[in-house]
Amino acid sequence: MSTKNVALIVGATGLSGSYTGRLLKENGWTVVTLSRGVADLEFSDRHIAADLTDGAGSKAALAAAQDVTHVFFCTWSRQPNEAENVRVNGAMIRHLFEGLEGAALKHAALVTGLKHYLGSFDDYAKVKPYTPFLESSPRLPGLNFYYAQEDVLFEFAAKRGFTWSVHRPHTMIGFVIGNAMNMAVTLACYAVICKHTGRPFVYPGSTEQYNAVTDVTDARLLARQLLWTVDTPAAADTPFNTANGDVFRWTWLWQQIADYFGLEVAPHPGHPTPLVAQMADSPKIWAEIVAQHGLQDIPVDRLASWWHSDADLGRTLECFTDMTNSRTLGFAAYQSTRNSFTDVFDELKARKIIPA
């Protein structure tokens, strides 16, 4: 791949951004990274610290990115309600493209997710969409910051003449510290705490989700799809669902996770037992685990996102995706979901973040 391809990865410290950055670097790209703060990223050729909610400030910072040819927008900012989500997240992507007014952009990729089909946080799962979720499905009524981000992307692509792609992963699985939606690390922390305290390793979500067919997205597979999209002219101006390619039920995967950690699966009580409540005392317990096993001293609240895993595991409807758009164009990547989780667990052990 020619180094004339210069990627700007927005949200480079998160799951999708970090995995994409590493893959692009491995393929010979020049990688420019952007996040709110200073970051030392091994795959970054140049880092820009910018707060995209600040239009003037981000425009000044982006003066150092006018050589960018491709944008990978992999971030969002959580707000107290969907009206604010729309306003803030729409402004962030707008400020980005306004700040790149001198760049000769070829393509911009936006990473969103399944709230495209399930509704915003305010209206989450109030609809019963057809499964598997179809990329051709119309938008749902009401506010949704994913739609606001898409509209800005479409506007600037039409105005500036670059192509676009939208990628809709399910629950993202991978390794990163401090991510707000990191289920694999969250469940690893939960399992370790259950083992340390002798608490039952009970699936914390709904009975419906425990028994339903579902899927997830390995961050490595998303990165491969993002690169494939850039290299596939027929994929221009297309939305893509992004999932591992297998489906499973949590009744099976919960047992796989329990076996990995040497735990017994507790019977499901027939109702959710949210992690937010179960893990209210986790900071103190985690400090004990860190001291006992000589682990990296990282607070559990930087590792686990109890609230987000509660939302995913507590749904009362079936959620899995159809990948017709990319499959028909030749994207055939596949990832074992069990290995998506156990690979993260292995890395957590190797880095001394959880006990070996």
Side-chain angles (χ1 to χ4, degrees):
M1 182 70 68
S2 169
T3 53
K4 291 181 181 178
N5 284 328
V6 181
L8 175 63
I9 302 182
V10 183
T13 59
L15 267 174
S16 55
S18 61
Y19 278 81
T20 300
R22 280 192 287 269
L23 182 63
L24 293 176
K25 187 66 178 174
E26 290 167 6
N27 280 269
W29 288 55
T30 297
V31 177
V32 182
T33 53
L34 185 150
S35 65
R36 285 177 181 265
V38 175
D40 183 15
L41 302 168
E42 77 280 3
F43 56 84
S44 178
D45 293 294
R46 183 165 77 250
H47 185 74
I48 297 171
D51 180 356
L52 290 178
T53 63
D54 174 2
S58 57
K59 186 169 185 177
L62 287 165
Q66 300 304 306
D67 58 337
V68 163
T69 59
H70 296 73
V71 167
F72 299 87
F73 196 92
C74 307
T75 193
W76 69 292
S77 178
R78 189 185 183 198
Q79 302 300 313
N81 56 61
E82 197 59 19
E84 282 299 289
N85 276 333
V86 167
R87 183 184 68 81
V88 171
N89 288 282
M92 286 171 62
I93 191 168
R94 181 173 296 280
H95 292 157
L96 173 76
F97 287 124
E98 288 175 346
L100 294 174
E101 61 184 356
L105 295 181
K106 299 177 182 177
H107 184 83
L110 169 65
V111 177
T112 61
L114 295 196
K115 285 188 288 295
H116 187 94
Y117 308 107
L118 289 164
S120 69
F121 282 116
D122 289 358
D123 296 317
Y124 192 69
K126 291 181 181 178
V127 297
K128 302 291 182 184
Y130 172 80
T131 50
F133 300 142
L134 301 176
E135 293 145 324
S136 58
S137 298
R139 289 180 175 183
L140 300 174
L143 295 174
N144 191 315
F145 80 86
Y146 286 172
Y147 305 161
Q149 289 180 312
E150 284 186 347
D151 287 343
V152 175
L153 173 66
F154 302 157
E155 174 192 338
F156 277 88
K159 185 186 303 182
R160 301 275 301 278
F162 57 82
T163 59
W164 59 265
S165 59
V166 176
H167 303 259
R168 300 168 184 161
H170 197 167
T171 301
M172 193 86 69
I173 307 301
F175 170 79
V176 72
I177 295 172
N179 183 266
M181 300 186 289
N182 197 336
M183 180 184 282
V185 178
T186 298
L187 294 184
C189 292
Y190 177 51
V192 168
I193 288 170
C194 286
K195 190 166 188 175
H196 179 78
T197 61
R199 295 180 185 181
F201 187 59
V202 59
Y203 177 81
S206 67
T207 303
E208 294 91 339
Q209 193 63 205
Y210 194 41
N211 293 302
V213 173
T214 191
D215 57 19
V216 296
T217 304
D218 192 298
R220 295 170 294 191
L221 186 137
L222 171 61
R224 290 171 68 185
Q225 190 191 57
L226 285 161
L227 178 57
W228 165 84
T229 304
V230 169
D231 288 339
T232 306
D237 304 337
T238 306
F240 296 104
N241 287 336
T242 315
N244 280 355
D246 59 5
V247 293
F248 65 93
R249 301 179 197 273
W250 276 104
T251 49
W252 171 80
L253 187 58
W254 202 249
Q255 183 67 60
Q256 306 303 305
I257 295 172
D259 290 347
Y260 181 95
F261 287 99
L263 294 164
E264 295 291 328
V265 171
H268 191 264
H271 58 80
T273 53
L275 293 171
V276 166
Q278 282 197 60
M279 297 289 102
D281 58 351
S282 62
K284 179 176 181 295
I285 296 169
W286 194 257
E288 294 172 1
I289 294 169
V290 167
Q292 179 178 327
H293 295 276
L295 305 178
Q296 288 193 52
D297 189 11
I298 303 172
V300 71
D301 290 340
R302 281 203 67 218
L303 297 170
S305 50
W306 311 120
W307 68 273
H308 193 268
S309 292
D310 280 341
D312 273 358
L313 300 177
R315 292 180 296 215
T316 57
L317 73 165
E318 188 175 71
C319 297
F320 66 103
T321 60
D322 175 84
M323 292 181 64
T324 291
N325 283 356
S326 54
R327 295 294 188 238
T328 56
L329 292 171
F331 181 73
Y334 170 88
Q335 169 66 45
S336 157
T337 288
R338 183 188 183 279
N339 290 350
S340 290
F341 280 86
T342 59
D343 287 352
V344 173
F345 302 158
D346 288 347
E347 185 160 4
L348 290 169
K349 286 182 175 181
R351 291 174 180 263
K352 295 185 71 65
I353 294 173
I354 64 174

